Structure formats: C-alpha cells, structure tokens
Amino acid sequence: MEQTKFLLDESELPKRWYNIRADMPSPPQPTLHPGTGEPVGPDDLAPLFPMELIMQEVSEEPEIAIPDEVLDIYSLWRPTPLYRAHRLEGAIGTRSRIFYKYEGVSPAGSHKPNTAVAQAYYNVKEGRTRLSTETGAGQWGSALAFACKLFGLECKVYMVKISYDQKPFRRSLIQAWGATIVASPSEETECGRAILEEHPDSPGSLGIAISEAVEDAALREDTAYSLGSVLNHVLLHQTVIGQEAIAQMELAGAFPDVVIGCVGGGSNFAGLAFPFLREKIGGRDIDVLACEPAACPTLTRGLFAYDFGDTSKLTPLVPMHTLGHDFIPEPIHAGGLRYHGVAPMISQLMIDGLIRAEAYLQTDVFASAVLFAGSEGIIPAPEASHAIHGAIETARAADEAGEERTILFNLSGHGHFDMAAYDNYFAGKLEDVALDEDEMERALHAIEGLPTPA
Amino acid sequence: MEQTKFLLDESELPKRWYNIRADMPSPPQPTLHPGTGEPVGPDDLAPLFPMELIMQEVSEEPEIAIPDEVLDIYSLWRPTPLYRAHRLEGAIGTRSRIFYKYEGVSPAGSHKPNTAVAQAYYNVKEGRTRLSTETGAGQWGSALAFACKLFGLECKVYMVKISYDQKPFRRSLIQAWGATIVASPSEETECGRAILEEHPDSPGSLGIAISEAVEDAALREDTAYSLGSVLNHVLLHQTVIGQEAIAQMELAGAFPDVVIGCVGGGSNFAGLAFPFLREKIGGRDIDVLACEPAACPTLTRGLFAYDFGDTSKLTPLVPMHTLGHDFIPEPIHAGGLRYHGVAPMISQLMIDGLIRAEAYLQTDVFASAVLFAGSEGIIPAPEASHAIHGAIETARAADEAGEERTILFNLSGHGHFDMAAYDNYFAGKLEDVALDEDEMERALHAIEGLPTPA
C-alpha cells in the first residue's frame, strides 16, 4: 500500500512564524491615514490592536518566535496532516500527483484558529478583556470564539447577515464557545443602523461587518478589534501551515510544482504559499495559484488601488486589488470569499509576478467538491473547494499537455456547517453568478479620488 | 510543554481485528430462530449477510486478518489520535489523569466507518450491489453511505424519524455521499405502513428502522442488510480502536485504571474496551465502565432475556439486556443511544462481572459536553458526551476518595451535526427524562413467552 497520510509529531511543530516581508522583492506599500494621506503609525493603531501585533504588522524580521502559550494550544490539533490524494487522482485519471494539507482538523474546523489563538494571547497579555470581530461564513467567528474561550476573553461577533441565515449551526458553534453573536448589519452600531436605514434588506458583507466590529472596539476601552484575514500579522500567523507542509512533502519524497489555495482576504492561501514563495524567491521554480469566486473576482478583475478595508470607511487606506469598498458580492455559498479587497502582501506578490490567480463559477466548484467527497471522503467547505477545483483543473491541463506535475493545495476547512449549500447544489438551485461588467464599473466608482499606489 | 497528542504512523495500523469471543470466560449464548427455538445457523443468515461476515459472527479465532482493501481505506483517517486531556483536568481540578481516544476524525465524524468499510468490502466481494440499513442519529447511516460510495455500492438508509427531523444536515451528509434516505417509519415497507397505521405520529425508533431495513433486504436479491452495532462482527471490526489505544497509552507511558465508553448497541464501547478486557481477563486490574442514558437504561435496568432485535419481530431472538422490543425511548438528543437492547457479547461480559454500567440524565451530560468543548476545544456528539460525563464523574469520585486514577474514554464522534441539541440545552429546553417504572414494566411485557437464557 502506498502511503496516504504524512504526519509530524507535536515536537515538530514550527517554533517560528515566517515573515515574507523580509524576502519580498518589493515591499508592500504603506497603509495610509485617510485624513492626512500619511503612512499609518503604531500610535494610530493602538486603540484597536495590542502593541505586539502592531509590531508584527510592520516587522521586517524574517522569523518571529511563537510564544509557548500559543504553541501549547496549537498542539491540540497541530501539526495537521498532509495527504496524498490517491483516490482523487484515480477518480480523475490523472498522471499527476495531488497532495493536500488539511486544516479542517482544528476544533473550529478551519485554518482560522492559527491566528485567533495568537491574537487572543497577545490581547490578554496586554490587558484587554474583550474582543470584537466580524465573520463571513462563520469560520473566523467560531475560531475567535474558541480562542477567547480558552483564554477567558469575552467575544462579540458581527456575522454577515446572509451567512447568519444560511448557516444557523455555525452560529450555534460560536455560542457553544460562549461568544455573543449578532447579524450584520445590526442595530447595535452607528454604521449598522445607517446601512439598515438605506438598505433594510441588505444581505450584509464582510466590509459592513468590519465597520461594525471596528466601531464597537473603538468605543470601548476594554475591547480590541480582531481581524481574521488581510493584515500582515494575520498572514504571518498562518505560515505554520506551509512550514509543516514543506517538512511533510519531504517525508513524501516530493516537492510541489504547483501550490494552490483559495483566496478571500488571503490568509489560508498565504499560510500555505508564503513558505513555498520563500523557496521560489530563492530561485526554485514553483507555480503559485490563487483561486477565487467569479462572483467576487478581486485578484483577476479588481483594480490595484488604495481603498478602505470596510464599507463605512473606518479603516486606513490599504494598497490592494479591490472591487470598491461598497461592493456587495452576490450571496454565493463560499461566504468566506465574499470580500471586496485582498491582503496587501498578496496584491504586491501578484504585481511582482510571483503568484497568479483564476476565478471559478460556484457550480463548477461544487462539482469538484462532490468528486472530492466521494473519493477522499472528507466533505470540504465551499471556500476550500475552490482550491480543490483549481487542483483538478491543473491536473487535467497537465494531462492534456502530456505533463506530470506535483500539485499541492490547501484544504482549509471542512464543510460540516455548509450542508445547506450542498442541498442547494443537489437540488439544482445554485446560481452561477460571475460579476457583471457594469456592476463592477459602478462599484469601482467608490475609489475615485483616493490616493494611487506608486 | 507536556505532550498532548499521541499519534501512530499509518504503518502502525492494526493488521488484525481482535475477537473477544476466544477469551470470554463464558461465551455468549446462541441466537435462536424464533419459529423453531433452535440456534440460528449460517444458512438462516445468508439472505441478509455475506458469508464472510456470517463466519466472523460465529468465529472463535482470537484474531482475524483485516483485508488490505479495508486497511487502505482505514488509512484515510486511521490511526486516530489519542489525547491527554490536560485542559479538562485543569478545568475540573482533578489529580487524576484523563486520556481520550478521538474517533471523530473519520470522514463521517465517528467510529462507525470502521465497520461500514469492512461490511461494504465483504458485500462487494460476494457480489451484492446494494445495501439497506437503519440509522438513529445518522452517524451510522452517513458512515455506510461513505463506505458504499467508495466501493460503488447503492445504499438505502431508513432514518429514525425524530432524528431525521432534528438533524437535517446529517441527512444532507448521507445524500452528499450518494445514498437514498427516508424517514422511518416509512410508507415504503410493510412494517413501516403497519406502524404508521397504528401510530401516525410515531417518532420512530431503532427497533422500527431495523425492521424496515431488514424487510427491504429480504425482498431484494441484489440487496444485503447492514447493521451498525450489536452483532459480533460489528463489534469485532471496532477493535482497531482499542488496539491503537493500547499502543498510544504505551507512548504516553501510562496504562488506564478505568476504561469508559458510551453504550447504545455497544459498538464504540466494545471497540475501545475489548482489547483492554483481553488484558483484564489475563489478570490485569481495570475498571470498565459503560455509560448509557437514563431515558434508555438497557444495561442498568433492563432484563437479561431472549428478545427480538427489532420491533416487528423479523430478527432472530438475541440473548441480551433489553427493555422490550416495542419500547420506544423518549426522543432524547443522543439518538444513537436510543436502542431497546444491547450487543449480546456486552450483556454476557456484564453478567460475568467484567464490566459495569451507569445511566446519566441528559442535562448533566450536556453540562459535561460544554465543559469539554470549552477546555479541549472539540465539540462532542451527545452520544460521546455520556463517556465524557462518565470520565468527569470518575475523576471527581477519585478526588473525593483521595485517589489518583488514570482514566481513558472513547470520544466516539464530534457534534457538528448536533448543534440543534446544544441550542436547546443553552435555551434551557432539554428535558431530563429517566425511564418511568410503570412504563418499563409495560414495555417488558413484550418479552413474555419468549425463551429464557440459561
């Protein structure tokens, strides 16, 4: 029998996060204060984040030590397994080898606890007792609820309304870990009330929910804001994924030609890809592919521009690919990928040609998810299924070209809380929505007049 | 940092199932043909099961080789991890050490695939193309759907109606793996129609669903019946759990004083306990505890008697602790434990004093589940939470007696498809139902006139 799982022992957990900033050919451009147009400094961020996270945000050190208290909690589920997808390969009849790193074994069922635990730790250390955050599909909200529970922090989650309605049991999960949750836009914040007044039926968006959570944190001394993606320190914390994967691919006697992840804000993609990009920047030939939904095609069709991270313009201006800060994506089932922007570091890597992106329709993505579930067994999350689809398309293209490739993708989470989406898919009720040209143009008006990146 | 997870490599997967029959001080008494009162022979069972499973059912060999095709699929998730519950120990402040074996990492989220895969394999090998089965909470139905999908078998699942309604997403899971599912009692079988005529609002029971699945298989040449618990061969297949746990406890430098599992039909309990009972029969001092719901207290309050395995009296007569074959337990949330009987081998071990049993109220069980989720992170299934509660009670009792014990329990599945039960618990809507004395007496009338075990 050929080996299926490549495991590392707890003692082999990475002891340091990898900071790709130190190795990037061009560093990401600074975030700007929207009032002054000047780069944002640590003091500007201090009301929202603990100082250690702010320092990580701007650090140029290549490696940052992971605190023992964080490693101790990581060890509840990390190192995560890396699989050779023998059965999926058989199902599609490819000559390529497909591997996947599985982050769904965490208590919250995704990669999100990798940063949630770190963020909760630094907040407790600096005396915060409460965190506020937003969540799309609920993977981030449940991860932060879990981390807060373990560190004894209060936690308030603003959940995008469409997901709040579509995924009731993700809500229950957040509550089971003791957090408070509300559908966003909500009546509990100024921003929420303003949006509800204009659009009482708003399905919500990550941009809106971020506004609410930031407002909540800004108004309370005891509360810090916590973000599950986009920011440099969040991507940093995820790099345990790729570091483990490199060691596990070595156990498998292989190295990937192609590294694939799905991208919403970009954290699971970065987590797997950054340690491999370190090798690529060092001269190794690797194709790094970001997969996004055609309904929210930030990297493939968005503009690289300065834009707000949220809808109500409470955040600094971020240099990133964007569809405009008031863009509200169609309510597709991969709720975690419905974000108008993307992490600035990922945008910069895209501009520098170190990564590329493709956008997929959701019925194609679900077809690949069902093929995967029926061969490898695991029911994947709709978000992670974009990476599965990317891997299958890559293998098929290689077969057509008569090539054999070694493909590695990040299976960032399981789909146990997304079964309603599968029901809709099987019932033929999933709509394929690619972003409309006119709609995109309309959305991009939002960034007119904002500064332009160099 | 003290070690949390004890992992085995894929190459350390047990290669043989352990058959406790070979070591039992008194063998279980034979199952009887209800018409003749004579022991059931292989030919009687041939319409329902493939011959290799029938031979395993009566085998007295201590070990039976696991086919490579089965090991190959086991390797998708096995060996499963064994954890030291440092954080749970801290939360209850015990001096005892608590370990748990976690079976929730399987694609279906429980221990059930251990036998589902084996049963699907032997059926395919002997030319069956379709399996019928029943399911309570849906853990067994989803496990068999998964196994059938991987072996290309059709699968029909009769799901206990109360669970069908309470757990819609477990249904979706079964459908995602391509199986057909119907609420039981259904209009699709003679037994189902008869029960609906008398009790149109019947919440269903495992006993009824078994009747339907057996009738389905008996009427179709291409179809075999598949059972997720109770039978000897089912318990046999689960013994990979305990064999792995013994090796993992060795890695931890420990051996349990107490081994704990929840019991419905008995398969996850047997899976963990039987390999340890081999040691106990060999002279080692181990306390082996079966945990059941007070609403369905088969081992603690049932009679040891010959009884039917199903409500409509289609099965042979089984020597077991029973509450009567037409007993319909209250619709508690641990649907997988709502069975009127128990595996004959477990009953015999109980009579011989090798194991003991306790029954718990569901609000106590959920309180322990929430304590566990908030310390170890994993959201446990309501069934498995009975074992958690047993472990916590055991640790507390040891503390009161000034003793330190090493406790091992089986965390047989996660609760991702049971969040409605958590919602009810938090809303204070869970009712505590212990079986009423009169109700029990009424139910036990069903076994009057049946043969009596020696």
Side-chain angles (χ1 to χ4, degrees):
Chain A
M1 282 194 304
E2 277 196 279
Q3 200 171 337
T4 298
K5 292 191 305 298
F6 300 89
L7 305 178
L8 299 175
D9 202 72
E10 207 165 303
S11 61
E12 297 168 283
L13 241 169
K15 302 295 179 296
R16 313 174 83 75
W17 291 303
Y18 166 59
N19 181 15
I20 199 171
R21 255 180 98 97
D23 294 322
M24 286 170 73
S26 14
Q29 301 188 39
T31 38
L32 303 180
H33 192 289
T36 64
E38 293 299 307
V40 163
D43 290 349
D44 296 314
L45 298 170
L48 290 182
F49 300 104
M51 199 44 72
E52 288 213 47
L53 290 179
I54 294 172
M55 290 297 114
Q56 289 178 4
E57 190 66 19
V58 296
S59 170
E60 292 181 3
E61 290 299 314
E63 296 189 336
I64 292 172
I66 307 175
D68 280 348
E69 292 84 346
V70 173
L71 285 173
D72 199 35
I73 296 183
Y74 278 177
S75 72
L76 287 174
W77 73 94
R78 302 208 72 85
T80 61
L82 182 135
Y83 286 84
R84 169 81 185 272
H86 291 296
R87 285 169 196 279
L88 177 64
E89 291 170 19
I92 58 178
T94 185
R95 294 161 53 199
S96 288
R97 293 186 293 178
I98 303 178
F99 293 85
Y100 59 97
K101 178 76 168 159
Y102 185 37
E103 290 291 303
V105 295
S106 80
S110 78
H111 64 293
K112 293 290 189 187
N114 296 331
T115 183
V117 169
Q119 293 189 43
Y121 166 75
Y122 289 116
N123 273 290
V124 166
K125 199 175 160 201
E126 297 186 21
R128 252 41 176 259
T129 58
R130 182 174 176 274
L131 295 183
S132 72
T133 197
E134 71 292 327
T135 195
Q139 286 188 329
W140 168 244
S142 52
L144 194 68
F146 156 72
C148 285
K149 180 74 189 176
L150 264 62
F151 281 108
L153 284 162
E154 272 186 77
C155 180
K156 172 68 174 267
V157 179
Y158 295 85
M159 184 169 185
V160 175
K161 185 161 188 305
I162 178 74
S163 293
Y164 186 91
D165 293 339
Q166 276 175 355
K167 298 171 200 280
F169 293 149
R170 190 85 72 173
R171 258 153 55 195
S172 317
L173 188 60
I174 291 170
Q175 287 165 328
W177 281 313
T180 310
I181 185 165
V182 65
S184 166
S186 79
E187 295 285 352
E188 301 189 18
T189 65
E190 194 99 14
C191 328
R193 287 188 294 270
I195 286 160
L196 283 174
E197 194 156 317
E198 212 177 325
H199 307 285
D201 295 332
S202 167
S205 71
L206 272 174
I208 295 170
I210 292 173
S211 295
E212 295 207 277
V214 168
E215 182 185 323
D216 179 314
L219 293 179
R220 289 182 58 157
E221 191 79 17
D222 62 347
T223 300
Y225 169 63
S226 179
L227 188 67
S229 194
V230 178
L231 298 178
N232 300 346
H233 69 267
V234 178
L235 276 52
L236 173 81
H237 299 153
Q238 293 294 352
T239 57
V240 287
I241 301 174
Q243 292 181 68
E244 287 176 10
I246 287 176
Q248 289 165 311
M249 289 300 289
E250 251 171 58
L251 287 180
F255 192 86
D257 304 311
V258 194
V259 171
I260 300 173
C262 66
V263 172
S267 79
N268 94 77
F269 171 78
L272 180 65
F274 283 6
F276 285 98
L277 283 167
R278 185 184 209 174
E279 306 286 322
K280 183 169 183 170
I281 292 165
R284 217 151 170 174
D285 185 21
I286 316 173
D287 179 20
V288 181
L289 172 62
C291 305
E292 59 184 16
C296 190
T298 318
L299 283 173
T300 48
R301 295 176 59 200
L303 284 188
F304 181 63
Y306 269 110
D307 195 7
F308 293 97
D310 71 319
T311 303
S312 299
K313 310 192 221 176
L314 298 181
T315 71
L317 288 167
V318 181
M320 61 182 177
H321 290 78
T322 179
L323 297 164
H325 57 261
D326 55 13
F327 173 63
I328 297 185
E330 290 289 323
I332 55 163
H333 279 284
L337 306 184
R338 293 176 71 246
Y339 183 58
H340 69 276
V342 69
M345 291 210 289
I346 290 176
S347 278
Q348 190 61 52
L349 291 164
M350 181 90 177
I351 284 165
D352 289 343
L354 283 161
I355 66 171
R356 64 189 181 91
E358 290 183 355
Y360 306 129
L361 292 170
Q362 67 175 343
T363 53
D364 294 338
V365 166
F366 270 88
S368 289
V370 169
L371 183 62
F372 184 83
S375 49
E376 295 294 310
I378 297 167
I379 304 281
E383 292 82 4
S385 301
H386 286 72
I388 295 173
H389 187 64
I392 291 175
E393 290 290 292
T394 302
R396 283 179 176 149
D399 289 331
E400 273 171 35
E403 292 168 1
E404 278 176 45
R405 310 191 78 180
T406 299
I407 299 162
L408 168 64
F409 71 89
N410 196 5
L411 187 66
S412 57
H414 64 63
H416 301 170
F417 296 94
D418 305 288
M419 296 314 297
Y422 281 89
D423 287 350
N424 285 336
Y425 172 70
F426 285 118
K429 286 188 203 155
L430 271 199
E431 275 178 55
D432 263 335
V433 273
L435 177 56
D436 179 71
E437 199 68 41
D438 294 346
E439 166 66 19
M440 188 169 85
E441 214 167 297
R442 242 189 329 274
L444 283 172
H445 279 305
I447 58 174
E448 273 171 21
L450 295 177
T452 312
Chain B
M1 285 194 305
E2 275 197 280
Q3 199 171 338
T4 298
K5 293 191 306 298
F6 300 90
L7 304 178
L8 299 175
D9 201 73
E10 205 165 303
S11 62
E12 297 168 283
L13 239 169
K15 302 295 178 297
R16 314 175 84 74
W17 291 304
Y18 166 60
N19 182 14
I20 198 170
R21 256 180 97 97
D23 294 322
M24 286 170 72
S26 14
Q29 301 190 37
T31 38
L32 303 180
H33 192 290
T36 64
E38 292 300 306
V40 162
D43 290 349
D44 296 316
L45 298 172
L48 291 183
F49 300 104
M51 200 45 71
E52 287 213 50
L53 291 179
I54 295 171
M55 290 297 113
Q56 288 178 5
E57 190 65 19
V58 296
S59 170
E60 293 181 5
E61 290 299 314
E63 296 190 334
I64 292 173
I66 306 175
D68 280 348
E69 293 84 346
V70 172
L71 285 174
D72 199 35
I73 296 182
Y74 278 176
S75 72
L76 287 174
W77 73 94
R78 301 209 73 86
T80 61
L82 182 135
Y83 286 84
R84 170 81 185 272
H86 291 295
R87 285 168 196 280
L88 176 64
E89 291 170 21
I92 59 178
T94 184
R95 293 162 53 198
S96 287
R97 293 188 294 179
I98 303 179
F99 293 86
Y100 59 97
K101 178 75 170 160
Y102 184 38
E103 289 292 304
V105 294
S106 80
S110 78
H111 64 293
K112 294 290 188 187
N114 296 331
T115 183
V117 169
Q119 293 189 42
Y121 166 75
Y122 289 116
N123 273 291
V124 165
K125 199 176 159 199
E126 297 186 22
R128 257 31 180 264
T129 58
R130 181 174 175 274
L131 295 182
S132 71
T133 198
E134 72 291 327
T135 196
Q139 287 189 329
W140 169 243
S142 52
L144 194 67
F146 156 71
C148 285
K149 180 74 188 176
L150 265 61
F151 281 108
L153 284 162
E154 271 185 79
C155 180
K156 172 70 173 265
V157 179
Y158 296 86
M159 186 169 185
V160 175
K161 186 162 187 305
I162 178 74
S163 292
Y164 187 92
D165 294 338
Q166 276 175 354
K167 298 171 199 281
F169 292 149
R170 189 84 74 173
R171 259 154 53 196
S172 317
L173 188 61
I174 291 171
Q175 287 165 330
W177 281 313
T180 310
I181 185 165
V182 64
S184 166
S186 79
E187 294 285 354
E188 300 188 19
T189 66
E190 194 98 16
C191 328
R193 287 187 294 270
I195 286 160
L196 283 174
E197 194 156 318
E198 211 174 326
H199 308 286
D201 295 332
S202 168
S205 71
L206 271 174
I208 294 171
I210 292 173
S211 294
E212 294 206 278
V214 168
E215 182 186 323
D216 178 315
L219 293 178
R220 288 182 61 157
E221 191 78 19
D222 63 347
T223 301
Y225 169 64
S226 180
L227 187 66
S229 192
V230 178
L231 298 178
N232 300 345
H233 69 267
V234 178
L235 275 52
L236 173 79
H237 299 153
Q238 293 294 352
T239 57
V240 288
I241 302 173
Q243 292 181 68
E244 287 176 9
I246 287 175
Q248 290 165 310
M249 290 299 289
E250 251 172 56
L251 287 180
F255 192 86
D257 304 311
V258 194
V259 171
I260 299 174
C262 67
V263 172
S267 79
N268 94 78
F269 171 79
L272 180 65
F274 283 6
F276 285 97
L277 284 166
R278 185 183 209 174
E279 307 286 320
K280 182 168 184 170
I281 292 165
R284 219 152 168 173
D285 185 21
I286 316 173
D287 179 19
V288 182
L289 171 63
C291 304
E292 59 183 15
C296 190
T298 319
L299 284 172
T300 48
R301 294 177 57 201
L303 282 188
F304 182 63
Y306 268 111
D307 195 6
F308 293 97
D310 71 319
T311 303
S312 300
K313 309 192 221 177
L314 299 181
T315 72
L317 288 167
V318 182
M320 60 182 178
H321 290 76
T322 179
L323 297 164
H325 57 262
D326 54 13
F327 173 63
I328 297 186
E330 291 289 323
I332 55 161
H333 280 283
L337 306 184
R338 292 176 72 244
Y339 183 58
H340 69 275
V342 70
M345 291 210 288
I346 290 176
S347 278
Q348 191 61 51
L349 291 163
M350 182 88 177
I351 284 166
D352 289 342
L354 283 161
I355 66 173
R356 65 187 181 91
E358 290 183 356
Y360 306 129
L361 293 171
Q362 65 176 344
T363 52
D364 294 338
V365 166
F366 270 87
S368 290
V370 169
L371 183 61
F372 184 84
S375 49
E376 296 293 311
I378 298 167
I379 303 281
E383 293 81 5
S385 301
H386 286 72
I388 295 173
H389 187 65
I392 291 174
E393 289 290 292
T394 302
R396 285 179 174 150
D399 289 331
E400 274 172 35
E403 291 168 2
E404 279 177 43
R405 310 191 77 180
T406 300
I407 299 164
L408 168 64
F409 72 88
N410 197 4
L411 188 65
S412 56
H414 63 62
H416 301 169
F417 296 95
D418 304 287
M419 296 314 296
Y422 281 88
D423 287 350
N424 285 337
Y425 172 69
F426 285 118
K429 287 190 201 152
L430 270 200
E431 276 177 57
D432 263 335
V433 273
L435 177 56
D436 179 72
E437 198 68 40
D438 295 346
E439 168 64 24
M440 186 169 86
E441 213 167 299
R442 245 193 321 278
L444 283 171
H445 279 305
I447 58 174
E448 272 173 19
L450 295 176
T452 312

